Amino acid sequence: ALPIFGQVAGSRLVDNATSIIALRRPYLWSAEKAAGTITLTGVVPSEASRAQVVGRARQVSQGADVVDRLELARGAPDGFAEACAVLLRQLARLEQGSAVLSDLKMSLQGIANTAEVISSVEQAMAAPPAGFSAGEIVIKPPRVSPYLFEATRDPSGLGLSGHVPNETTRTAFVTLARQAMPDLAITDRMTLAEGAPSGYEAMTGFALAQLARLSSGKVSLRDGVLSLRGAAPDGATYAAVTRAVRSGLPAVLASATA
């Protein structure tokens, strides 16, 4: 086109200001969700693709603000927009986190409040779009402090509440409770959380064993401190439980009251 334009009558100067957008390797795109905002960074292949990705972010944002810091670059893999959409859809389900698309590898890290969300997101990321692969997928529950466990025994049954670090530990605690108090109906209200102290399962096992010896009562763990209140069926049991709590604590327990 430029040689032709130069032949036009009256044309004396041709200024070529056109350029080709840069080629990126690796082709990197990311989204971060934090403090009620989804921030998009990295590259997209065109303005149309930018509009598509930003639009999808707003569609799944659940009220979060969307900040566009994307740049144009060549080198996007086939299926780029679909892979971004999958990552944005799963990121939106997390309380906070980050999603990264590096060439054909899809990674997601973040925090979710329930086991159901963690499991569902992990399953979705295990089946990426055709041609793409799953990178690092790490979804964790929130970190809490103090870290709590409570078990309450009364005529209606046994109630478990507080925190567990994962579903394996939840199952272990319910099993321990059922073995210690097989005749009681168990209600599980425990929630997932990071931050369990070292020896948490040993602490809980000891706590449940002592509660099982009472007719009714409540045992609680607050980080490394145990508290036990309740009614013993007889004087011998009262003495045995008191002795265990005051002098037979597992090494992982810092202190106890009964």
Side-chain angles (χ1 to χ4, degrees):
L2 290 176
I4 295 174
F5 185 76
Q7 297 173 11
V8 176
S11 173
R12 295 295 178 267
L13 177 64
V14 177
D15 183 9
N16 181 10
T18 62
S19 63
I20 299 176
I21 59 176
L23 177 68
R24 292 287 181 90
R25 287 288 185 266
Y27 204 82
L28 191 63
W29 172 93
S30 66
E32 181 178 6
K33 181 179 180 181
T37 299
I38 295 177
T39 302
L40 306 175
T41 57
V43 292
V44 290
S46 65
E47 289 297 341
S49 180
R50 179 202 300 274
Q52 187 176 5
V53 171
V54 172
R56 181 56 62 92
R58 288 177 176 149
Q59 183 180 10
V60 302
S61 66
Q62 301 177 10
D65 294 331
V66 175
V67 177
D68 173 13
R69 294 178 181 162
L70 298 167
E71 300 176 2
L72 295 182
R74 292 180 295 130
D78 291 340
F80 172 80
E82 181 185 359
C84 291
V86 170
L87 285 167
L88 284 167
R89 188 160 53 247
Q90 302 310 318
L91 178 65
R93 303 174 67 189
L94 305 181
E95 298 303 306
Q96 63 185 66
S98 61
V100 176
L101 177 60
S102 180
D103 290 333
L104 296 172
K105 184 170 290 186
M106 303 168 62
S107 300
L108 181 66
Q109 300 183 41
I111 293 173
N113 280 338
T114 69
E116 290 76 16
V117 171
I118 292 175
S119 176
S120 179
V121 170
E122 288 176 340
Q123 289 178 18
M125 293 305 302
F132 291 84
S133 63
E136 187 175 15
I137 310 299
V138 181
I139 313 300
K140 296 181 178 181
R143 178 169 291 273
V144 300
S145 181
Y147 209 85
L148 306 175
F149 171 81
E150 290 185 347
T152 303
R153 178 177 187 173
D154 59 31
S156 66
L158 177 67
L160 305 177
S161 60
H163 305 123
V164 289
N166 50 57
E167 290 302 307
T168 300
T169 302
R170 179 198 302 277
T171 300
F173 285 4
V174 172
T175 299
L176 284 171
R178 186 169 288 116
Q179 291 172 344
M181 293 162 271
D183 297 331
L184 296 182
I186 297 175
T187 302
D188 172 15
R189 298 189 182 92
M190 296 179 289
T191 60
L192 292 179
E194 290 276 292
S198 177
Y200 186 55
E201 290 193 31
M203 297 179 194
T204 304
F206 177 83
L208 288 170
Q210 304 316 309
L211 182 62
R213 303 165 81 174
L214 304 180
S215 302
S216 62
K218 178 179 179 179
V219 64
S220 62
L221 289 165
R222 183 183 176 92
D223 292 329
V225 178
L226 179 145
S227 177
L228 177 65
R229 296 286 185 272
D234 51 54
T237 301
Y238 170 81
V241 171
T242 302
R243 186 166 55 251
V245 171
R246 292 180 179 175
S247 61
L249 293 177
V252 292
L253 279 168
S255 63
T257 57

